[in-house]
Amino acid sequence: MRAFALLFGALLLCASATQAQAGVFDRSPRFSDINSGTYQAGDRRFSLDRYQNAFLMRFAGQPEIFVLYANYGAMGNRVLQYDSGAIAIQVTGWGGMTLYTDDHPEGLPTSRVGDSSAPVLPAISMQQMQSAADDETSHLGYVRGIKISFFADQNAVAENAVRALAFDTMENAARGIDRFTANPAARGAFGQRISSVRIALSDRPYIKIENRVLVVTFNPRTGYFGRASSNAISTALGKLFGIPSN
């Protein structure tokens, strides 16, 4: 089976759009009035913190940290997009915010309810890395009936700072696979073609299949920008397998 590489095109597109508007973002009140803090949308609470020319979003009670890229939407509205290209938050010209989730694609009115602290990747030991790999293997086997294993290249875990992002990349990959294989057709196709997942270094995040190994890469030099979210991985798997992601 030939290797098939798939760049996270939506991620790169959003990143390019953000960089192109970086000067506007830094100076214009149209983006500066999106404040860091804790927000409430229906029964969902999340934090939003500035991260260079983007934002980091965390939902309460969930471990994943999403990078949201600032862009302009229709009718002068502003949007914060996941690296998959999907819209997470829309902000109107007068400042009203709407959160979009899988459960509420119609959107939830959102309001700021407090302050927040920017997330920091925790230090991860080799033992924690291995334990997490074993846990994700067991979880996907139990919940999805998929028999795969997770491992990382030695150069991806040799240094403490790099290992922290390798751990984050692996966790996002596992969540993306879980999301993608919720579809029975995707589950069957994935199980037939993939036997393990390898976390590797690269100059950009991408996935490819090599001899039944799903290679998921990250760039430790660019921090949170250097790894893909679970949303982007699920979306990319859908394109890779030709099966829409949930």
Side-chain angles (χ1 to χ4, degrees), residues 20 24 49 58 89 106 108 125 131 174 200 224 227 238 241:
V24 176
D49 294 281
R58 298 168 292 170
I89 296 172
E106 76 285 359
L108 293 168
S125 68
S131 295
Y224 289 109
R227 92 291 190 263
F241 283 89

Side-chain angles (χ1 to χ4, degrees), residues 46-237:
F46 64 94
S47 63
L48 196 64
D49 294 281
R50 289 185 177 276
Y51 185 67
Q52 298 181 37
N53 291 326
F55 290 85
L56 299 180
M57 182 172 72
R58 298 168 292 170
F59 287 102
Q62 297 183 17
E64 184 163 4
I65 299 168
F66 295 95
V67 177
L68 301 185
Y69 296 88
N71 212 330
Y72 287 97
M75 301 180 67
N77 291 338
R78 294 153 294 167
V79 294
L80 300 181
Q81 296 172 274
Y82 292 110
D83 54 357
S84 64
I87 294 176
I89 296 172
Q90 181 168 247
V91 185
T92 63
W94 52 269
M97 296 180 67
T98 302
L99 173 72
Y100 298 92
T101 67
D102 291 343
D103 295 337
H104 294 280
E106 76 285 359
L108 293 168
T110 301
S111 58
R112 189 179 186 277
V113 295
D115 296 329
S116 65
S117 300
V120 177
L121 286 172
I124 300 295
S125 68
M126 289 293 291
Q127 182 57 51
Q128 287 174 305
M129 188 81 184
Q130 185 58 57
S131 295
D134 294 341
D135 288 345
E136 297 302 350
T137 295
S138 297
H139 173 78
L140 288 170
Y142 178 76
V143 174
R144 302 299 182 207
I146 298 172
K147 296 180 180 180
I148 60 171
S149 59
F150 290 80
F151 66 99
D153 289 348
Q154 183 58 39
N155 61 355
V157 295
E159 299 179 22
N160 291 337
V162 177
R163 189 186 311 124
L165 201 61
F167 176 88
D168 195 54
T169 300
M170 181 180 68
E171 294 288 275
N172 284 359
R175 285 187 282 263
I177 292 168
D178 190 24
R179 180 186 176 107
F180 175 63
T181 56
N183 180 335
R187 192 180 313 146
F190 188 92
Q192 289 177 0
R193 295 184 61 183
I194 305 297
S195 61
S196 60
V197 178
R198 177 165 66 92
I199 307 303
L201 296 177
S202 181
D203 61 349
R204 63 196 186 282
Y206 67 85
I207 64 173
K208 65 179 178 180
I209 298 175
E210 291 182 342
N211 300 319
R212 294 180 55 80
V213 177
L214 180 68
V215 181
V216 182
T217 70
F218 70 102
N219 182 351
R221 294 188 299 275
T222 54
Y224 289 109
F225 293 124
R227 92 291 190 263
S229 72
S230 61
N231 289 6
I233 289 173
S234 179
T235 299
L237 286 170

Side-chain angles (χ1 to χ4, degrees), residues 12-74:
L12 297 176
L13 178 61
C14 291
S16 297
T18 300
Q19 294 301 319
Q21 299 180 61
V24 176
F25 184 93
D26 291 337
R27 296 191 303 268
S28 172
R30 292 191 49 78
F31 282 106
S32 63
D33 65 352
I34 302 177
N35 296 315
S36 296
T38 300
Y39 288 80
Q40 190 76 36
D43 60 353
R44 305 295 299 273
R45 179 168 289 216
F46 64 94
S47 63
L48 196 64
D49 294 281
R50 289 185 177 276
Y51 185 67
Q52 298 181 37
N53 291 326
F55 290 85
L56 299 180
M57 182 172 72
R58 298 168 292 170
F59 287 102
Q62 297 183 17
E64 184 163 4
I65 299 168
F66 295 95
V67 177
L68 301 185
Y69 296 88
N71 212 330
Y72 287 97

